């Protein structure tokens, strides 16, 4: 069975600090992996995706994620947090269908 | 480019009243379409998905239904709303082949009173 686990439903970082949001998945076949961001009362916006090829993928707003097959992980990082990064972040896996994690709420402290 | 619309943006309805939420996609053909619900402070729950006109798959049994009368139109309905139907409803689309990601609409905030 496929599943997505996001460790930490709430993460707080100081402005300018490293952002690390964790995502682990389970899949019996090579998955496609995604990170989405959701601002309050808005839809989800695609940040980045991994399908095939280079395992380090870069997305919008300075975010990047690395697919590590051996660790079944796809953690999201950003070197320096901005106040505007405060939002809900969702990891997703697509095998035959989409599976979303439960989300991580990121707070940026000024 | 493709765009996805949802309306209304917000809705307040009394318990027992009917519901109709609409989603339309522009700039693509034969999309896969999805309805999700997001309860306060929780993740996404897939309600329905459709791979073509008149083809609806239900993921969660409840008092909601979905229809796809046209290729790029997806409607979420209820005959009688329950308090538990309150939430943020999101429509999404994905390509029918070669494309993997889902694209989301702006959502509808439904409050059942």
């Amino acid at each position: 069975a496929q599943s997505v686990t996001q460790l930490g439903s709430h993460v707080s970082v100081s402005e300018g600090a490293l952002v690390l949001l964790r995502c682990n998945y389970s899949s019996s076949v090579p998955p496609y992996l995604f990170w989405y961001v959701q601002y309050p009362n808005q839809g989800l916006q695609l940040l980045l995706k991994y399908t095939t090829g280079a395992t380090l993928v870069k997305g919008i707003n300075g975010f990047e994620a690395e697919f590590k097959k051996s660790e079944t992980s796809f953690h999201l990082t950003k070197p320096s947090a901005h106040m505007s990064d405060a939002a809900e972040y969702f990891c997703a896996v697509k095998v035959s269908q989409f599976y979303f994690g439960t989300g991580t709420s990121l707070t940026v402290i000024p | 480019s493709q765009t996805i619309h949802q309306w209304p943006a917000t809705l307040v309805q009394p318990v027992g009243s009917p519901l109709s939420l609409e989603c339309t996609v522009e700039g693509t053909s034969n999309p896969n379409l999805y309805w999700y619900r997001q309860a306060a402070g929780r993740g996404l729950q897939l309600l329905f998905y459709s791979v073509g006109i008149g083809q609806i798959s239900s993921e969660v049994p409840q008092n909601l239904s979905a229809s796809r009368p046209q290729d790029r139109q997806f409607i979420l309905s209820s005959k009688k709303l329950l308090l538990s139907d309150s939430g943020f409803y999101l429509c999404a689309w994905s390509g029918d082949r070669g494309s993997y990601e889902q694209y989301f609409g702006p959502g509808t905030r439904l409050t059942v009173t």
Side-chain angles (χ1 to χ4, degrees):
Chain A
Q2 290 75 32
S3 68
V4 182
T5 301
Q6 291 185 237
L7 297 176
S9 58
H10 298 276
V11 171
S12 295
V13 299
S14 297
E15 190 175 16
L18 171 72
V19 176
L20 171 60
L21 304 181
R22 300 179 186 273
C23 174
N24 288 87
Y25 69 91
S26 65
S27 174
S28 55
V29 298
Y32 300 124
L33 299 159
F34 309 86
W35 275 100
Y36 287 83
V37 61
Q38 185 182 31
Y39 299 101
N41 293 310
Q42 295 186 26
L44 278 69
Q45 179 183 6
L46 181 67
L47 270 179
L48 48 79
K49 64 180 179 182
Y50 169 79
T51 54
T52 59
T55 56
L56 180 64
V57 293
K58 296 184 184 299
I60 62 172
N61 301 338
F63 284 93
E64 62 182 37
E66 186 171 11
F67 169 55
K68 292 187 177 181
K69 184 178 179 181
S70 61
E71 299 177 7
T72 61
S73 69
F74 191 57
H75 302 331
L76 182 71
T77 61
K78 182 174 180 178
S80 176
H82 295 168
M83 296 299 295
S84 60
D85 294 327
E88 189 86 15
Y89 292 81
F90 292 92
C91 180
V93 170
K94 183 184 186 300
V95 186
S96 57
Q97 59 180 300
F98 263 78
Y99 299 89
F100 283 89
T102 53
T104 297
S105 178
L106 176 66
T107 299
V108 181
I109 303 167
Chain B
S1 64
Q2 299 88 8
T3 56
I4 178 169
H5 304 278
Q6 286 186 246
W7 63 89
T10 60
L11 191 60
V12 180
Q13 292 284 93
V15 168
S17 63
L19 173 74
S20 181
L21 303 181
E22 190 166 343
C23 170
T24 59
V25 181
E26 297 177 355
T28 187
S29 60
N30 198 32
N32 296 325
L33 297 171
Y34 309 83
W35 277 113
Y36 290 89
R37 177 169 60 201
Q38 199 174 20
R42 302 184 68 177
L44 287 84
Q45 179 186 33
L46 179 62
L47 301 175
F48 301 94
Y49 70 93
S50 172
V51 298
I53 295 174
Q55 302 179 61
I56 309 295
S57 296
S58 174
E59 291 295 305
V60 181
Q62 56 207 325
N63 69 322
L64 299 173
S65 63
S67 61
R68 185 170 176 174
Q70 300 180 45
D71 182 45
R72 291 169 289 178
Q73 183 185 31
F74 205 23
I75 297 171
L76 183 69
S77 304
S78 174
K79 293 182 179 179
K80 289 186 177 181
L81 283 169
L82 306 173
L83 285 174
S84 58
D85 292 323
S86 293
F88 193 51
Y89 288 81
L90 290 161
C91 181
W93 74 273
S94 67
D96 64 334
R97 64 188 70 182
S99 173
Y100 314 108
E101 60 269 30
Q102 292 186 4
Y103 298 95
F104 285 80
T108 294
R109 174 72 60 191
L110 172 65
T111 303
V112 182
T113 61

